[in-house]
Amino acid sequence: MRRTNTGKARRPLARGGLVLAAAALMAGAALPAHAEPRADDVVQVDLGLDGAQPDNWSEARGMSADGRYAVFTSLASNLVQGDTNRLYDVFVRDLRTGRTERVSLADDGAQLDGSTSQAAISGDGRYVAFASDAADVLPGLPANGGYRVFVRDRRTGHTELVSADGSAASPTISADGRYVAYTLDGRDIHVTDRWKGTTRLVTAGADGSRADNSSADPVISADGTTIGFRSRATNLLPRDQAPTAAPAAPTGSKPPRPRPTFPFYVYDARTGRIQGASVDPAGMLRDAHPYVNLSPDGRYATFRVFEPNGTDEEGSHVELYLRDLRHGTTTKAALPLPGTRTVHDAYRGSVTADGRWLLFASGADNLVPGDTNQAVDLFRRDLRTGRIERIGPAGGATDISWTPNSLSVDGPGTTALFDGGGKVYARRLPPA
């Protein structure tokens, strides 16, 4: 089952973030004028002052648990008053009131002299963690000190340094803002307890030694007790559980090119134990494609792996799996209809706060009957019954071009945030 890729982007994107859909929405196209998306409609999030179109590129970064606040990064200079640094900044949009605020600010409220292109928002919407190479966030920071991770308290207006010494990136934050996990020096994952002022190394070997290779892409559960990450390290698990070679290619298929092995792991902060999360139904720890995720309660891990049959040069595609960490079981996010095979990619998955629904995007047209729109669609799976529903393109009835791996949803799974063509959108999803 083949899909035609007609999407375009202003810049090259990795395969996992390929923009797939119709032509980008033109400035001034008719979207609802209200700030908050209503039943099954779409609103633009990165609007400028007086509703103007942004004058530069924006990307979605996430939502608060209740779906009220959307965080995004942007090069635009016309979203708030006084934005003159011509750099990436972090913004929060109140979808209820339509108010946009810049949150990548110094502790004294001044704009920064460095770029801030990574960010995450706490579940309660109060705190925003961001990575910046700015030297003027706080007094006394050394110039040319690399990237650091900070947290902005939107209620008090204060910004604090969170990361340990070194170059920090990829922040992720717990629901109450207490815990912040991040990468340090492009190698290790650390987690900082902001209430206690302590920092802990997450990526330690099974014998307590430092991980013997790099780790990346941290994600954190709502309560901060479970931290997921991808890693090339070979000493995170006991020897009898260490990663093994990928399964052989089926007879007649082209062998895949060698890839760095980057399995997905989860760390339990209560016990200090690390376990493999990208475990396939056969029990093998697999190399995980970027855009791994955890459910808010930390029970489920979603990960993507390369599998045979596809349209890339190796004849493969990317498949999404769901791992139940509590019961140690793994299921494919969506099985193909009988008599068909999937050849197009699935994208980043999100599980709702109640653990009931899995939302994800896929280019496959053989997951449900009647899928003939030749587009990357948004799907919803009932984890109790296994039933899969096709919601359709993220942009609904609009012609918005979207980046499937940018998709994030609020806790109840009622509002989706995504980007495409350099703009950010929110959609109120139809009821399940």
Side-chain angles (χ1 to χ4, degrees):
M1 303 274 179
R2 294 182 178 269
R3 286 279 164 101
T4 302
N5 175 12
T6 59
K8 296 180 180 180
R10 287 178 41 183
R11 55 189 179 133
L13 292 172
R15 179 185 185 204
L18 193 64
V19 177
L20 299 167
L25 183 73
M26 301 299 292
L31 282 180
H34 47 268
E36 186 175 20
R38 297 170 184 168
D40 203 23
D41 70 17
V42 179
V43 297
Q44 187 173 340
V45 173
D46 61 330
L47 289 175
L49 297 166
D50 298 321
Q53 288 296 311
D55 58 17
N56 217 316
W57 192 274
S58 303
E59 295 182 347
R61 295 300 179 193
M63 303 187 74
S64 59
D66 63 0
R68 176 172 179 175
Y69 299 105
V71 63
F72 62 98
T73 55
S74 184
L75 271 170
S77 63
N78 64 334
L79 304 184
V80 296
Q81 295 283 357
D83 187 350
T84 59
N85 62 4
R86 298 184 179 180
L87 296 166
Y88 266 108
D89 290 305
V90 181
F91 300 87
V92 171
R93 174 83 165 182
D94 186 333
L95 298 179
R96 188 175 300 170
T97 66
R99 178 177 179 269
T100 297
E101 63 179 295
R102 181 165 49 165
V103 293
S104 53
L105 297 171
D107 187 50
D108 63 4
Q111 70 177 350
L112 303 182
D113 62 4
S115 183
T116 52
S117 58
Q118 300 173 336
I121 192 167
S122 61
D124 60 11
R126 175 174 175 176
Y127 301 99
V128 176
F130 63 90
S132 179
D133 62 354
D136 59 346
V137 183
L138 296 168
L141 289 179
N144 302 318
Y147 276 82
R148 306 174 184 87
V149 169
F150 302 89
V151 168
R152 178 75 172 179
D153 185 335
R154 297 178 54 234
R155 183 179 301 172
T156 66
H158 287 295
T159 303
E160 65 181 273
L161 176 65
V162 170
S163 56
D165 291 340
S167 182
S170 303
T172 181
I173 190 168
S174 63
D176 61 1
R178 175 174 179 175
Y179 300 100
V180 181
Y182 49 90
T183 61
L184 193 66
D185 294 327
R187 178 181 174 93
D188 296 312
I189 307 296
H190 286 72
V191 60
T192 294
D193 183 337
R194 295 178 51 247
W195 294 4
K196 293 184 177 181
T198 57
T199 297
R200 183 189 302 187
L201 174 66
V202 171
T203 48
D207 59 359
S209 61
R210 185 185 182 192
D212 61 15
N213 214 319
S214 59
S215 302
D217 303 335
V219 289
I220 195 167
S221 62
D223 66 1
T225 61
T226 305
I227 299 168
F229 57 94
R230 297 167 64 236
S231 182
R232 296 182 64 183
T234 62
N235 64 334
L236 298 178
L237 303 178
R239 289 185 179 275
D240 61 346
Q241 301 176 32
T244 57
T251 303
S253 65
K254 182 179 178 181
R257 73 179 186 276
R259 293 187 179 97
T261 301
F262 249 111
F264 183 29
Y265 298 89
V266 291
Y267 166 83
D268 189 330
R270 295 161 295 193
T271 65
R273 177 174 174 264
I274 292 176
Q275 64 173 303
S278 55
V279 178
D280 66 18
M284 178 174 290
L285 183 62
R286 299 282 298 278
D287 180 23
H289 203 273
Y291 302 102
V292 293
N293 207 356
L294 288 174
S295 61
D297 63 2
R299 175 177 174 177
Y300 296 103
T302 61
F303 63 94
R304 303 182 307 140
V305 300
F306 285 99
E307 293 200 343
N309 305 320
T311 59
D312 69 2
E313 61 183 11
E314 298 164 4
S316 65
H317 72 285
V318 180
E319 197 71 59
L320 176 67
Y321 282 88
L322 179 79
R323 176 75 171 173
D324 186 332
L325 300 170
R326 183 183 302 170
H327 294 140
T329 57
T330 301
T331 56
K332 187 175 289 189
L335 292 173
L337 294 171
T340 69
R341 65 179 185 178
T342 300
V343 298
H344 283 279
D345 293 346
Y347 298 87
R348 182 175 183 264
S350 297
V351 176
T352 54
D354 61 3
R356 174 74 184 269
W357 306 98
L358 169 66
L359 289 100
F360 64 98
S362 177
D365 58 2
N366 61 335
L367 305 183
V368 297
D371 185 355
T372 60
N373 65 354
Q374 296 294 303
V376 174
D377 289 319
L378 178 60
F379 293 85
R380 178 166 48 203
R381 176 183 173 182
D382 187 333
L383 297 182
R384 295 180 188 173
T385 67
R387 178 180 176 271
I388 295 176
E389 170 194 3
R390 183 175 69 92
I391 298 174
T398 69
D399 287 332
I400 294 172
S401 175
W402 71 298
T403 311
N405 277 327
S406 70
L407 177 71
S408 59
V409 297
D410 61 358
T414 56
T415 304
L417 184 75
F418 58 95
D419 62 46
K423 298 178 182 179
V424 180
Y425 305 94
R427 177 186 179 188
R428 177 74 69 179
L429 299 177

